[in-house]
Amino acid sequence: MRLRFRFRTIPFLATVVLVALGIALGNWQVRRAAEKTELQARLAQRSALPPLVLDGKPVDPAAVEYRHVIVTGEFVPNWPLFLDNRPLEGRTGFVLLMPFTIAGTGQVVLVERGWVPRDPAVHDRVPHVAAPPGRTTVEGVAVLHPARVMELGKAPPPTPGAIVQNVDPAGFARASGLAVLPVVVEQTSADAPTAAAVEPVRNWPGPAVDVDRHKGYAFQWYALATMAFLFFVITGFRSGTKQAG
């Protein structure tokens, strides 16, 4: 039996779309895997470095990100912010964010002090968490901004004590008028025992570096492109051979 191929325009166009889509999405997942591999290496390299002292001098955010840092100064007690929609182990709550004035400078760095529970009886009531009085030293990890959550529309500028969805150093600087470093510190050190009745929970999730997941997705998209092409070829030969017969 002589094989014949029957070309059909609509299946061909559908195949082109599927093959192009599969290759494009597969390439995107490969790039994501490369980015996560680079992030993994950067995390390992920076975690091995000695702690960086934030002394108020200008910092390069990209160079400081994920570094262990130490900063000495005082919290600004009248400017707390409560980051909303931050559940922990099935409980609703906030992440408490406070500005921290670096000793001997006019510079401020935002410090994520930790997770605090929400009052289940009053949705918009924020907990009172005392700041350590006087000069104190905070240790933590520098990040570019607090972890983001989905937010609808454009939020108004933050105000002292406000419940907000997202905030970054630049936006806080504009709202507060303070000179703010372009990084945020996820606090890992404990507060003084008398600073607060309940210490915020400091269980910071690390950045996702699931490289294998992106490689798996890439394989699936490439497989879809291959299957679409093979399906077009095989059905074309079957249809053409059957028609010839």
Side-chain angles (χ1 to χ4, degrees), residues 53-68:
V53 177
L54 298 180
D55 55 7
K57 295 178 181 178
V59 296
D60 178 3
V64 174
E65 188 181 17
Y66 306 127
R67 283 285 305 267
H68 293 284

Side-chain angles (χ1 to χ4, degrees), residues 46-53 64 66-70 140-142 188:
R46 293 187 179 178
S47 64
L49 295 174
L52 174 70
V53 177
V64 174
Y66 306 127
R67 283 285 305 267
H68 293 284
V69 295
I70 298 176
V141 176
T188 56

Side-chain angles (χ1 to χ4, degrees), residues 74-166:
E74 297 183 21
F75 282 102
V76 181
N78 62 345
W79 248 110
L81 291 176
F82 296 86
L83 304 181
D84 202 5
N85 293 326
R86 266 66 173 188
L88 178 67
E89 298 177 352
R91 301 171 64 194
T92 60
F94 310 97
V95 167
L96 174 59
L97 184 73
M98 292 183 69
F100 187 88
T101 303
I102 301 173
T105 75
Q107 297 291 314
V108 168
V109 64
L110 289 174
V111 175
E112 292 186 82
R113 294 191 57 204
W115 181 89
V116 290
R118 181 193 291 273
D119 186 339
V122 184
H123 181 77
D124 58 353
R125 178 184 294 170
V126 296
H128 174 70
V129 183
R135 180 174 291 200
T136 186
T137 296
V138 171
E139 298 181 25
V141 176
V143 294
L144 299 185
H145 51 71
R148 299 189 185 280
V149 297
M150 185 175 65
E151 185 173 15
L152 299 177
K154 185 177 180 181
T159 56
I163 298 174
V164 298
Q165 300 294 322
N166 300 294

Side-chain angles (χ1 to χ4, degrees), residues 12-37:
F12 171 74
L13 294 176
T15 301
V16 169
V17 170
L18 287 175
V19 169
L21 180 65
I23 292 175
L25 292 175
N27 290 343
W28 175 63
Q29 290 294 341
V30 168
R31 290 193 297 271
R32 292 289 291 153
E35 292 171 1
K36 292 296 181 68
T37 301

Side-chain angles (χ1 to χ4, degrees), residues 185-196:
V185 176
E186 292 180 342
Q187 183 177 348
T188 56
S189 58
D191 291 331
T194 58

